[in-house]
Each structure stands twice: as C-alpha cells, then as structure tokens.
Amino acid sequence: MARRLAASEPAGNTYLPIPRGAGQKPDSPFSRFFRDSGNISIITGISMFAAGIVIVRKWGDLMVPA
C-alpha cells in the first residue's frame, strides 16, 4: 500500500523564491520586466523589427536595382 504524505511534508519539488536582501538597491523597470517575464525573445524580436525598419528607410534605395 502506498504511503501517504503528511500535510507538513512537501510533495515533490517546490519552487521557493530566494528572498531579496534589504540592502539591495531597487530594480529598474527594465530588470523587473526580465525578472518577472523571463523572456528575452520579446525584446529581441521588437528590437530586430525596429532595426529592420531603420535600415530599410536609410539604405532601402540601394536594394532596388537601378
């Protein structure tokens, strides 16, 4: 028969965030976004899109054969 866990025993791996120290400086909105979402691909995609627009507007005439 399977042994049942008591209410005080953790069931498997649990996520316990590391408490932030009182002596640390406050986070910027940029670092807080990365800590909360953890997804750098959003910023990478937006920056590549914006860079593409800037490049095409600046050197777009060189891409069209004359």
Side-chain angles (χ1 to χ4, degrees):
M1 188 180 279
R3 184 177 84 96
R4 294 184 180 245
L5 294 176
S8 63
E9 295 180 30
N13 295 335
T14 58
Y15 173 72
L16 298 174
I18 298 171
R20 298 180 58 87
Q24 293 181 349
K25 62 181 181 175
D27 288 339
S28 68
F30 187 72
S31 64
R32 195 169 36 244
F33 170 75
F34 278 120
R35 188 183 69 235
D36 292 342
S37 69
N39 196 353
I40 197 167
S41 65
I42 295 171
I43 296 298
T44 304
I46 292 171
S47 62
M48 292 295 287
F49 178 74
I53 291 174
V54 169
I55 288 170
V56 168
R57 288 185 56 107
K58 187 163 181 115
W59 295 295
D61 57 338
L62 298 175
M63 297 190 314
V64 178

